[in-house]
Structure formats: structure tokens, C-alpha cells
Amino acid sequence: MIWIQLVVVLIAIAIGARLGGIAIGFAGGIGVLALACLGVTPGDMPLDVIVIMMAVITTTAAMQAAGGMDYLVYLTGTLLKRHPKQLAFLAPVVTWLLVVTSGTGMSSFALFPVITEVAKGTNMRPSRPLTLSAIASMTAIVASPVSAAVVYFSGVLDEKDPSIGYLGLLGTTIPATLIGIIATAAIMLAIDKVRGTLTLSSVESQKMSAGNASGEPRPDGLSTEALDRELSHLGSKVTTSAKRSVWIFVITLILIITYAILISPQVGIVETPVLPRDTAIISAMLAAGAAIVAFCKVRVEDVLSTSTFKSGGSSYVCCLGVAWLGTTFVTANQDTIVNALGGVLESAPWLLAVVLVVASSLLYSQAATAKALMPLALSLVSPAVAVASFPAVAGFFLLPTYPTVVGTVAIDDTGSTKIGKYVFNHSFIVPGVINMIITVAIGTVLISVIS
């Protein structure tokens, strides 16, 4: 029966992937119904994960409505324009920082057009900084103090091994993901230089300039006019309220981290906290949203119309559908899975990262993957191995179907960021695999020191 159930799960995911967007979550519901018809008891719905996502994304949407996101993109664009030769390193790092701070990978979409224009202005193929930035936006979620994936998994860790917990998890994933993306950038740049694919080809330059008003290709195929216009436009929208909204969000983030440190078993300053960590994050984020609306001249209806809120709504439904489907399948077959994988993972624990990459590429969500598989993982491997492998829940680079992947391909008007004719021959697969190997390896070293 496990194989029949697995086929049902894969068919449901395939239907969702083909329909795209929020339909991935809808298809998860189809899968749960189909499994129920086969006699499988539905697993727990990921409501705890979704509530955290809702609080963080809604507050981020309030900051966007106040102009805070435009302010951050303006600062980022200005930095990238001043240091264009370091674009391949700076672009993924600032993307990583934005996602770590905001707790949602969707915030990275605002940076991709800026990154593309800076790359073209220096004759660099946009595919390199774009693919690295897209991968950084995926892995940054596992390093964000307020992301649903981190908050959920740290709660599971608290029950299994309190000595690691929230602080040990972040102490591993923050440096591991940051060093991982920087090291990956260095490796990919070296490969590009050897292959001679770092700069734009004549065909790519002509494709980029095809939309010129004159209809003629520019002699060098380059222009920073679009970037200058975009930065000027963003700069004109930066207000005191926009800056204030960013400060409110950042201060809230600092307070959340401080509180988490104070109540952690490792520090033990507050032994019996009134607010558990999850509740503290949710309430603090909602309070920050209220402060932004009250003190940054934000109309509440504007929050509902932001791109962050709309994409967040899609994320909730997708997480509900696919995480529920995944949890239902794993819970129903836990004994069989443990018996099949237990010996393999005992002799080669690094294979857990491979399993998580494959699963996440199908489940479309770090939080959904964590909810479905990390409790099971902790029954198969040590907490240290699970923490080191945790970044692999962001393996969306494997299939060219994730919104960030599709979005960067659409934004790159030179055609250098590609999805090939075959499933795996796309621009993200090589840097994604390299980044994951480095990140998990660094995480393994760090958690051995921390634990």
C-alpha cells in the first residue's frame, strides 16, 4: 500500500505543479482526500506553522505598504551600483540579508530587477548573480529568526535535545548559509572565467537591446539608464514613514532574538517565561504591524493590496495543502520508512540532506518540508545531524518550477538564465548543488562545536 499511496502523493503534487501558484495547495487537498479514500487517517494540519507565517508575512506587508520595502531596495540598489565589480558576491549576500530579516523569500523578488540591470551595466551575464541570489533567498529562510521553518524545527529540537534548541540551530544555520553562498559565488565565478562565460555574448547583448526605442542594438549592448530611472523612482518614494517602518521591524526582530536568548535553556535567565517563544514571535510581529500602521501613516486596506500579502496568502494555502499531504503520508507509513531508511542513514547520515532536497523540491516550502519530515528525521539520526542537514529543506533549485526560479528566468531579458529542454539542465542546478554541499558541510562542523 505504501507504493500506491506514494503514487497518489506524486500525482497530486504533479497536478499542483502543472497548475502552478496557489493550486499547489489545492492539489494537496486532493491528495489528502485520495489517501483518505484508501483508508489513511489524515495527519495533523500544519496550523502552527501557518500562524507564524501569517504573523510575519502580514507585518512585512505592513512595512511594504509604508514604503519600507522600497527603501530597502533603494539602499540595496545604490550599494550594488557603487560596487558593480563585486556584484556576484554582493547580490546574493544582500538578498540573503533581506530574507533573513523579513522571514519571507518573496521579499527577494524586489531585488532581482536591480541585480539584472547592474549586471548588464558591467557586461556580466545576469544569470550568475541572479541564480546565486535566488539560491540565497531559498537557504536564507533556514537562517531567519522569525521564519516558520526555523521556529517549528527549533520547537521539535527543544523536545529532543534542549542543549541545541533555537540558539544552537541559528548559531549553525546563519554562518553556514552565509559562508555557503559566498563560497559558491567564488567557485561559480572561477568556473565562468575558465569557461569564458562570465560576460555577455553578442547574441545576449542583442537580445537585451532588442527593445530599444531605436530598434537598433547599442554598440556595447549596455545601459544603466533603466537602473538610474528605477533608483530615482524609488528614492523619490522614500519618506520618513518608510524609514520608520523599517526601524520598527528591525527593532522588533532584535527584541525577539533577545527574548529567545533570555528564555533559552542554555542561558536560563528566565526559567519560567510567561510567553513561549512561538507565542512571543507571533504577538511581537502583530504588535509591530500595529505600530507600523499607527505611526507610519499606513491605511490598513493598503496592507491587503501589497504583493507581499498576496504572495503570502498563496504561501499559506500551499503550505496547508502540501504539508498536510506530506504529514499524512509520512505518519501513515512511519514504521515502514524508519525500517527502510534507518540502517542506511546510520551508515551514511549525510543522505538525510539528499532526502530533504528531493522532498523540498516537491513540497515547495521550507516550512512544509520541515513539518512533514524533520520529526521523522530526528527518529532516524542524531539531533546534530538533523541540524546540519536542515538547510536541505530549501532544495527548490532541483526542479525549475519554484516561483523564484521561474521569476528570475522571466526577469533576465538577455536570456542567459535558462531552463533547458530537459528537466535538470537549467541555470540553477550546478550552483544549487554546490551551495548545498558546502552549507551542509559547514553546518556539520559548526554543530559539532556547538553541541
Side-chain angles (χ1 to χ4, degrees), residues 114-126:
V114 176
I115 293 170
T116 301
E117 293 302 328
V118 174
K120 292 190 298 186
T122 57
N123 201 29
M124 175 185 288
R125 299 173 80 234

Side-chain angles (χ1 to χ4, degrees), residues 285-310:
M285 276 289 143
L286 293 178
I292 291 173
V293 170
F295 299 114
C296 300
K297 303 176 182 178
V298 175
R299 298 188 307 169
V300 290
E301 55 267 29
D302 291 341
V303 176
L304 304 179
S305 62
T306 61
S307 59
T308 298
F309 188 84
K310 293 176 180 177

Side-chain angles (χ1 to χ4, degrees), residues 101 166 239:
T101 304
Y166 182 74
T239 62

Side-chain angles (χ1 to χ4, degrees), residues 37-201:
C37 292
L38 293 175
V40 177
T41 301
D44 295 333
M45 288 186 287
L47 299 181
D48 48 352
V49 172
I50 292 174
V51 170
I52 296 169
M53 293 174 65
M54 290 176 64
V56 174
I57 290 176
T58 304
T59 302
T60 305
M63 182 177 68
Q64 181 181 5
M69 196 64 71
D70 289 334
Y71 176 50
L72 291 175
V73 173
Y74 172 74
L75 293 177
T76 301
T78 302
L79 173 66
L80 296 179
K81 184 182 176 184
R82 287 178 180 175
H83 305 281
K85 292 183 179 180
Q86 286 75 46
L87 180 64
F89 291 99
L90 286 178
V93 168
V94 296
T95 302
W96 177 90
L97 182 60
L98 178 62
V99 175
V100 166
T101 304
S102 65
T104 170
M106 297 304 170
S107 60
S108 62
F109 277 99
L111 298 181
F112 293 153
V114 176
I115 293 170
T116 301
E117 293 302 328
V118 174
K120 292 190 298 186
T122 57
N123 201 29
M124 175 185 288
R125 299 173 80 234
S127 63
R128 184 52 60 227
L130 278 177
T131 53
L132 291 169
S133 298
I135 292 166
S137 72
M138 299 171 191
T139 57
I141 287 295
V142 304
S144 174
V146 292
S147 75
V150 167
V151 176
Y152 170 75
F153 183 45
S154 64
V156 178
L157 273 176
D158 285 340
E159 299 178 1
K160 189 73 174 181
D161 188 351
S163 65
I164 298 178
Y166 182 74
L167 297 184
L169 179 60
L170 289 178
T172 302
T173 57
I174 289 177
T177 54
L178 180 57
I179 296 171
I181 196 64
I182 293 174
T184 303
I187 293 172
M188 293 310 301
L189 280 177
I191 293 174
D192 286 340
K193 289 179 181 179
V194 171
R195 296 172 59 191
T197 56
L198 185 60
T199 58
L200 284 165
S201 67

